[in-house]
Amino acid sequence: MVQAIRTRWQRWLNRRIPRADKQVFSQRNIFILPTGPGVVFGMLLLIMLITGINYQNSLIYLLTFMLGAILVAAMHQTHRNLAGLELTLVQAGEGFAGDRIPFRFRAVSGRHDAVAISLSCERYTLSQQHVPAGQAGDMVLSAESPRRGYFRPDRVRVETRFPFGLLKAWSWVRPASFGIVYPRPVPAPEATGTVTDGDDQDTSRSVDGNDHADMRPWREGDLTQRVLWKRYARTGQMVIADWEGEQGSPHWLDYQAFPGVDQELRVSYLTAQVLERSRTGVPFGLSLPGQEIGPDAGPAHVSRCLKSLAVFGLEKPRDDSTAAFGTRGQAAGSTVAGEGV
């Protein structure tokens, strides 16, 4: 029963507050109720009124009606703080998974000051913002995203309790734009790419024996397929062979270079490689199933690669969806299944 009531309430609320990056607050979408102290204050007024009736005391009547008038005036002022306020999402932020993603809103007040406005999303709150009448102000609310992909809060709560905290007026903004959450970088092991720059690298050399390999000690994160197990059985030393014939182009970061690794770990490896190349300034390209970004350098190229990794295999949530994240695309799911990952 409770779940059915909650579902009907959510549907009614979504119809009343449609998804949009711009919201103007009016009587149609502003809600107002007493706070905890407001409920106690109202009960005291009721007790005072009953006492005044019982004893026919004019002073108790006077005090009761004066305090009641203050409560009514506070209700009017609390509602007026939000009435006419226009809130627009001007920039959906970007960041890495696990970090706080900023969303920048622009508030434009109406004929009256918007006093002590708070924005909140889940457990994050931006409180006590003041926007003078007829002016605009930017407000930045951050929300944490635990994973990569498209990200938008389902609802951002807008609330005020000014002037006395006896009542609260609130509404919601349901953003339509998405923030982008990059995968959290994980240091990539030594791996072999499959993408080459030209025909001069198409010919591979024999990998039988150790004549055409550079050997080095094993490091944490190296793939077990590259360990020389026969040498380990003889000497007890973990040694990795970097075969000449297996080397792809150093200008490409390749999704297929990490066989046997699941999709999320692959994109985390590639993210770490993109950040490493961005620090060194070396041109690089990115090869993903169904998408290739040619070798280049610079902040714009790095941003494009990170965004491609962030949304790889994901679809945007529909406007009628309450999900905060994108869903896995069917094409990407079939690609991964075909690899046997």
Side-chain angles (χ1 to χ4, degrees), residues 173-197:
V173 176
R174 304 181 63 226
S177 298
F178 300 90
I180 299 295
V181 185
Y182 307 136
R184 177 162 292 279
V186 175
E190 295 290 338
T192 300
T194 61
V195 181
T196 60
D197 287 329

Side-chain angles (χ1 to χ4, degrees), residues 224-272:
T224 57
Q225 295 94 324
R226 305 184 67 84
V227 177
L228 297 178
W229 293 109
K230 292 182 179 180
R231 185 184 183 94
Y232 174 74
R234 294 197 307 268
T235 64
Q237 297 179 347
M238 296 279 284
V239 176
I240 297 295
D242 288 333
W243 305 105
E244 292 180 3
E246 293 178 347
Q247 300 299 322
S249 169
H251 301 298
W252 285 91
L253 306 180
D254 188 9
Y255 178 89
Q256 305 294 351
F258 307 100
V261 178
D262 66 68
Q263 175 177 292
E264 295 305 314
L265 190 53
R266 291 194 195 199
V267 296
S268 294
Y269 285 161
L270 291 172
T271 301

Side-chain angles (χ1 to χ4, degrees), residues 158-320:
V158 186
E159 181 179 308
T160 180
R161 302 190 179 197
F162 183 83
F164 302 123
L166 299 177
L167 300 111
K168 60 181 178 182
W170 78 95
S171 188
W172 289 276
V173 176
R174 304 181 63 226
S177 298
F178 300 90
I180 299 295
V181 185
Y182 307 136
R184 177 162 292 279
V186 175
E190 295 290 338
T192 300
T194 61
V195 181
T196 60
D197 287 329
D199 296 336
D200 55 337
Q201 296 186 13
D202 288 344
T203 305
S204 63
R205 305 175 70 175
S206 172
V207 296
D208 295 332
N210 296 333
D211 295 337
H212 305 292
D214 294 328
M215 290 178 289
R216 60 170 178 80
W218 178 85
R219 295 193 296 261
E220 185 176 358
D222 287 330
L223 298 176
T224 57
Q225 295 94 324
R226 305 184 67 84
V227 177
L228 297 178
W229 293 109
K230 292 182 179 180
R231 185 184 183 94
Y232 174 74
R234 294 197 307 268
T235 64
Q237 297 179 347
M238 296 279 284
V239 176
I240 297 295
D242 288 333
W243 305 105
E244 292 180 3
E246 293 178 347
Q247 300 299 322
S249 169
H251 301 298
W252 285 91
L253 306 180
D254 188 9
Y255 178 89
Q256 305 294 351
F258 307 100
V261 178
D262 66 68
Q263 175 177 292
E264 295 305 314
L265 190 53
R266 291 194 195 199
V267 296
S268 294
Y269 285 161
L270 291 172
T271 301
Q273 291 181 331
V274 168
L275 296 177
E276 181 180 359
R277 297 295 181 92
S278 69
R279 288 190 293 267
T280 60
V282 177
F284 66 94
L286 178 64
S287 176
L288 298 172
Q291 180 183 12
E292 281 192 358
I293 301 176
D296 201 349
H301 178 66
V302 172
S303 177
R304 182 185 176 191
C305 292
L306 289 176
K307 289 180 179 179
S308 296
L309 290 170
V311 302
F312 172 68
L314 301 176
E315 296 178 351
K316 294 181 180 179
R318 301 186 306 273
D319 285 344
D320 58 351

Side-chain angles (χ1 to χ4, degrees), residues 17-36:
I17 305 178
R19 190 175 293 282
D21 287 336
K22 179 179 178 180
Q23 185 69 265
V24 179
F25 301 109
S26 62
Q27 292 183 350
R28 174 180 171 81
N29 52 26
I30 296 178
F31 307 88
I32 185 168
L33 282 175
T35 61

Side-chain angles (χ1 to χ4, degrees), residues 28-61:
R28 174 180 171 81
N29 52 26
I30 296 178
F31 307 88
I32 185 168
L33 282 175
T35 61
V39 172
V40 174
F41 187 82
M43 293 177 62
L44 289 176
L45 287 180
L46 180 60
I47 293 173
M48 291 173 62
L49 179 61
I50 294 174
T51 303
I53 294 173
N54 184 57
Y55 290 99
Q56 291 296 308
N57 190 308
S58 299
L59 290 178
I60 297 179
Y61 279 133

